[in-house]
Amino acid sequence: MSCTVESSAYRAMAAEQGRHWWFVGRRRILAAMIARLGLTKGARVLELGSGTGGNLTMLARFGAVTAVEMDEEAREISRALMPGVDVRAGRLPDGLGLAGERFGLVCLFDVLEHVEEDEAALRVLTRHMAPNARLLLTVPAHPSLFGAHDRELHHKRRYTRAGLRARLEAAGFVVERLSYMNAPLLPVAFVLRGLDRLLGRERATATGVPVAPVNALLTWLFGAEALILPKTDLPFGLSLLAVARAGDCG
């Protein structure tokens, strides 16, 4: 959230978030994970780096949602999509504007990789965790895959499993779950990213919404992990998913 994303990227995100296989599949997985957390009725839910609001409808099924987003254009798109949701300006690690507020669920969905001071950002979150609250986050995995796609999205890094655990624990979190996700597309990603690097491409291959049959297949493949991840960890995948609680939150 202490990063700059081009305005065109937000417009593209808003146009694609309802149908692109990655957004749709990820929401299915996240909803299944949240359903297993045992949130109390009416729990306060915080999404940081909410972008153009693609997750807000899903999150509103689990409680009262507050969203924090640094970009004004993205906030306006979110408010139009979900008029009843509290969408605020803010950024990590400083400037959240949440003094004294605590939440039952704090969400960072592919946000931490945009933040230069990622450990400091995680440490700030412990101040906003209610008793027994959970942090749910996703990040891109495998530093060796870092390339044109990451540069286009203004990523600072990709994470190893051990590196993400270390950052969470250093920030004061107790890690309850740490799994890979998006397993079926990992071999394809290694091939495509390798070709991009070999050919010196400045734009990543295979971005945007695929043709309908391919998009439907990829949505099914990725979204099927919603049946697996709530019960068991995956040994490989394109992304990492973590569930953690603040160390002093019991």
Side-chain angles (χ1 to χ4, degrees):
M1 289 171 64
S2 58
C3 66
T4 300
V5 176
E6 295 174 5
S7 176
S8 59
Y10 284 119
R11 291 194 297 271
M13 184 187 302
E16 296 177 357
Q17 64 191 5
R19 58 194 180 96
H20 191 289
W21 65 269
W22 187 82
F23 289 108
V24 176
R26 187 182 65 166
R27 278 196 298 273
R28 291 178 184 173
I29 293 167
L30 296 173
M33 293 297 297
I34 296 170
R36 294 289 291 261
L37 294 180
L39 296 181
T40 59
K41 186 177 180 179
R44 297 192 69 194
V45 177
L46 173 66
E47 184 181 11
L48 297 169
S50 55
T52 52
N55 301 312
L56 298 182
T57 299
M58 179 272 289
L59 291 174
R61 289 158 40 193
F62 299 99
V65 180
T66 298
V68 175
E69 168 57 44
M70 63 176 287
D71 185 82
E72 181 178 1
E73 181 182 18
R75 292 195 302 272
E76 290 305 313
I77 294 171
S78 298
R79 289 173 181 139
L81 180 68
M82 288 285 290
V85 173
D86 181 11
V87 182
R88 308 183 191 179
R91 64 175 61 225
L92 286 168
D94 302 313
L96 284 183
L98 298 171
E101 295 188 66
R102 293 179 179 268
F103 300 84
L105 175 64
V106 176
C107 304
L108 281 88
F109 302 144
D110 292 272
V111 170
L112 196 63
E113 66 272 16
H114 293 274
V115 182
E116 191 70 54
E117 298 173 293
D118 57 347
E119 187 179 313
L122 291 170
R123 193 173 296 111
V124 164
L125 300 186
T126 63
R127 306 171 193 167
H128 301 290
M129 308 284 289
N132 301 312
R134 295 299 183 270
L135 169 69
L136 177 61
L137 67 83
T138 60
V139 294
H142 303 294
S144 61
L145 286 177
F146 194 96
H149 175 74
D150 299 278
R151 289 189 291 272
E152 287 173 22
L153 296 177
H154 299 271
H155 291 174
K156 306 295 183 184
R157 69 194 72 80
R158 301 178 72 92
Y159 289 85
T160 65
R161 193 173 186 273
L164 180 59
R165 178 183 291 276
R167 283 173 170 83
L168 284 164
E169 292 178 345
F173 282 96
V174 176
V175 178
E176 296 183 338
R177 292 285 308 279
L178 181 53
S179 174
Y180 287 102
M181 61 187 287
N182 198 0
L185 274 296
L186 181 63
V188 177
F190 268 107
V191 171
L192 293 179
R193 305 290 167 82
L195 284 174
D196 287 343
R197 188 177 296 113
L198 180 66
L199 299 175
R201 290 172 176 156
E202 295 184 1
R203 305 275 310 172
T205 301
T207 58
V209 182
V211 295
V214 174
N215 192 57
L217 174 62
L218 294 177
T219 300
W220 181 84
L221 284 172
F222 188 20
E225 293 181 2
L227 302 174
I228 302 169
L229 279 167
K231 302 173 184 178
T232 188
D233 294 344
L234 294 176
F236 59 89
L238 265 178
S239 301
L240 285 161
L241 179 148
V243 177
R245 61 178 173 83
D248 61 353
C249 288

